Amino acid sequence: MSGPARPASLTDELLERLVARVPGSGGATWKLTEVYSGEVLVELPQSTPEDIEVAFAKARAAQRLWAQWPLERRLEVFDRAHALLVDNAHTTADLIQAESGKNRRMAIEETCDPPMVISHYLRRAPKVLAPVKRGGPVPFVSTSTEVHVPKGVVGIIAPWNFPFATGLSDAIPALMAGNAVVVKPDNKTALSPLYGIALLEEAGLPEGLFQVVCGEGPDVGPTLIDNADYIMFTGSTATGRVIGERAGRNLIGCCLELGGKNPMIVLDDVNVEEWVEGTTFGVFGNTGQICMHIERIYLPDSRYDELRDAFVERAAHLRIGAAYDFGPEIGSLVSADHRDRVASHVEDAVAKGATVLTGGRARPDIGPAFFEPTVLEGVTTDMKAGCTETFGPVVALHRYRTVDEAIKLANDTDYGLNASVWGTDLARAEAVAARIESGNVNINDALATAYASKGTPSGGVKNSGVGARHGDQGLLKYTDVKNVAVLKKQVMGPRPGQGYDAYVKQMLSSLKLMKRLRVR
């Protein structure tokens, strides 16, 4: 099948130079294709367990020197990298589109994430990573200093839906903190993170500090986890459980951002025009392949027909297409296999009584993995689309009579990654948001406001994850805390000639005095 012409930036020389960074001593390769056409772009080397061990050894050697650099010098690398990432955004977007099939808007917006993370931590890292001196157990003669030291080598397992953003943005704070990184991108979407790493090295990141290994998860994952000092994973809840269990056996930390079945509650005072536009992106952005995208919408009974009809009308007229320009509003799914999974959810719902209000079909006339924006009605929890993550351009509409009922329905899930509340009375909307069991809640937005707020931690609750990215927590998780305690004078014990009874009496009196004087 023919697709749009490949952008001029994606030369064979560039693609071969990128995949040359991937170790593959066993000779096995993966056919990495352009999603729009199915054309093979490059043969991606597949890393053996021995390749992964060598990558970690190289990373450790580089990390020992990198950790000795003053923080200010490390941050200078990222100051330069920011400019390179922004200046090369269109080439990066070309790579993202070719390997993932997303539309141009989403590809460009994805390129913005690493620079945003860099900007935040350039400002914040000097304060967060600075040693903090505190009082010790004995006032004036003892101190205790909190020192943050790098973990060592961080393993990052990045997903295919935002390969550039997660491949780089999760690594940036780890590198700033003095760690090395070994990243495993998804085979389908390895090109854009490889390009990003090349730009970081152009900015002055030491060679060998940021390694890439490739392969299928079961083949690569165990060796990667067993050699890492910390694991960052974004992906499915099922895989997250496996990774978390292995990390636990190895007594290393992990951060897991997992699946969601994200709800939206629309209040009866909502502005319909603003809601339709915001929700269209929140449901169908990146063709529904966003961990935080909305899959369940609860509409008030009093305005159900009005809101349903307005939203369905907008969804039915979204421009779907394969192009490296800003024409299409909806791009492709990442693969034909994933298209079939999305289709199976819709087919199962229809077979069990749900109604398709718009969409519901694959579009092979456009490309191998295209699927129409789909709105369902009458979805129940015995349907795949009603209880498990579809991760595609599919949403179910539901009625509610009272806000309490809507909140109960929104919380009736094992997931808790993201949620959305819409209404013009912000105090009322915030009160609803406070009752939703989710790591992120957006008011009058679907997902972007929470995720793009780099100063605030973002993560999931329940089965949607452990830990968070962004905020101070997103940097400190890549460090261990060293407590450097100093005793200036030997006063912790009885003085010469003092009996222990007298010492205890003095000690207990001192505790009362310290509390009264608030001495710490």
Side-chain angles (χ1 to χ4, degrees):
M1 175 177 292
S2 62
R6 188 198 300 183
S9 66
L10 304 190
T11 64
D12 290 340
E13 187 275 332
L14 171 65
L15 300 182
E16 292 297 336
R17 178 159 49 87
L18 293 179
V19 299
R21 303 174 67 92
V22 181
S25 62
T29 61
W30 167 279
K31 296 183 185 301
L32 196 157
T33 62
E34 183 198 42
V35 176
Y36 290 149
S37 65
E39 171 197 355
V40 176
L41 289 173
V42 72
E43 297 278 349
L44 181 70
Q46 300 292 276
S47 305
T48 66
E50 293 74 21
D51 292 329
I52 298 167
E53 291 174 351
V54 170
F56 271 92
K58 291 179 179 178
R60 289 195 187 282
Q63 188 271 334
R64 284 191 285 271
L65 298 175
W66 174 249
Q68 294 174 20
W69 287 26
L71 176 60
E72 182 180 3
R73 185 182 174 193
R74 296 202 298 265
L75 295 182
E76 287 172 354
V77 172
F78 292 95
D79 189 40
R80 294 188 293 270
H82 185 282
L84 286 170
L85 290 167
V86 172
D87 291 346
N88 290 278
H90 281 282
T91 297
T92 304
D94 290 340
L95 287 164
I96 291 171
Q97 283 197 271
E99 64 189 1
S100 72
K102 64 182 61 177
N103 73 327
R104 189 68 175 182
R105 172 188 170 177
M106 287 306 308
I108 284 289
E109 291 187 3
E110 181 176 351
T111 71
C112 296
D113 194 72
M116 290 173 68
V117 170
I118 288 174
S119 291
H120 173 72
Y121 286 120
L122 284 177
R123 295 190 303 270
R124 190 68 185 151
K127 182 174 182 179
V128 175
L129 296 177
V132 180
K133 182 174 286 189
R134 300 186 175 88
V138 183
F140 310 116
V141 297
S142 64
T143 62
S144 178
T145 303
E146 175 184 333
V147 179
H148 289 276
V149 297
K151 292 277 188 183
V153 183
V154 173
I156 295 177
I157 302 173
W160 49 257
N161 61 325
F162 285 92
F164 183 76
T166 52
L168 264 68
S169 293
D170 286 335
I172 286 164
L175 293 163
M176 286 181 171
N179 297 284
V181 169
V182 177
V183 66
K184 188 204 86 66
D186 190 281
N187 274 334
K188 295 185 288 295
T189 54
L191 296 174
S192 60
L194 284 164
Y195 184 63
I197 294 167
L199 293 177
L200 291 182
E201 291 184 353
E202 185 178 338
L205 195 74
E207 186 176 349
L209 191 69
F210 200 157
Q211 298 283 324
V212 183
V213 295
C214 290
E216 292 294 274
D219 300 328
V220 176
T223 306
L224 185 139
I225 297 169
D226 290 347
N227 282 273
D229 299 303
Y230 189 88
I231 292 292
M232 176 72 212
F233 170 74
T234 305
S236 72
T237 297
T239 302
R241 291 184 189 278
V242 175
I243 291 171
E245 181 181 356
R246 195 171 191 109
R249 289 203 304 268
N250 292 344
L251 297 179
I252 62 171
C254 63
C255 180
L256 312 171
E257 193 213 73
L258 309 177
K261 193 68 179 175
N262 306 311
M264 173 187 288
I265 296 176
V266 183
L267 301 177
D268 57 13
D269 64 344
V270 71
N271 178 300
V272 62
E273 291 81 12
E274 292 181 357
W275 170 74
V276 166
E277 285 306 307
T279 302
T280 298
F281 177 77
V283 170
F284 301 118
N286 201 34
T287 322
Q289 300 165 120
I290 303 176
C291 298
M292 295 171 68
H293 96 118
I294 300 300
E295 296 203 0
R296 300 178 288 144
I297 300 178
Y298 297 96
L299 302 175
D301 189 65
S302 62
R303 297 186 65 185
Y304 182 87
D305 291 346
E306 172 199 3
L307 296 170
R308 177 199 60 195
D309 293 349
F311 181 67
V312 170
E313 173 71 13
R314 181 72 178 94
H317 289 90
L318 285 169
R319 299 186 302 276
I320 181 171
Y324 288 95
D325 58 36
F326 291 101
E329 296 174 279
I330 300 292
S332 176
L333 291 168
V334 73
S335 67
D337 287 344
H338 190 55
R339 177 209 62 203
D340 291 344
R341 180 181 184 277
V342 171
S344 73
H345 278 218
V346 175
E347 292 162 3
D348 174 75
V350 171
K352 293 176 180 176
T355 301
V356 176
L357 300 180
T358 187
R361 297 180 300 132
R363 292 295 301 275
D365 55 311
I366 303 174
F370 280 82
F371 196 88
E372 292 177 335
T374 301
V375 183
L376 301 176
E377 194 175 49
V379 172
T380 57
T381 54
D382 65 331
M383 303 172 184
K384 294 177 182 177
C387 62
T388 60
E389 186 176 36
T390 302
F391 215 61
V394 179
V395 67
L397 305 183
H398 304 272
R399 292 178 184 265
Y400 73 83
R401 291 182 299 277
T402 68
V403 172
D404 286 345
E405 178 191 9
I407 294 169
K408 181 179 179 180
L409 291 169
N411 289 336
D412 185 21
T413 176
D414 293 331
Y415 296 108
L417 182 59
N418 183 50
S420 176
V421 180
W422 284 75
T424 55
D425 184 338
L426 291 182
R428 183 182 179 215
E430 288 173 4
V432 172
R435 297 172 61 190
I436 296 178
E437 299 164 355
S438 180
N440 302 273
V441 185
N442 295 263
I443 295 175
N444 292 335
D445 185 43
L447 55 92
T449 301
Y451 189 83
S453 299
K454 303 305 183 185
T456 304
S458 174
V461 299
K462 298 196 281 191
N463 285 350
S464 287
V466 176
R469 52 165 63 95
H470 304 158
D472 294 354
Q473 185 177 338
L475 178 62
L476 291 175
K477 71 186 182 187
Y478 294 124
T479 68
D480 287 322
V481 179
K482 181 185 294 184
N483 183 344
V484 180
V486 177
L487 184 62
K488 302 175 184 177
K489 186 177 181 180
Q490 299 303 308
V491 295
M492 296 176 67
R495 297 190 304 274
Q498 182 184 30
Y500 203 81
D501 286 342
Y503 170 70
V504 169
K505 182 178 180 180
Q506 173 188 321
M507 180 173 60
L508 296 177
S509 297
S510 296
L511 291 175
K512 293 179 180 179
L513 179 63
M514 289 168 62
K515 177 178 181 292
R516 193 160 57 246
L517 297 177
R518 297 185 178 180
V519 175
R520 289 182 291 176

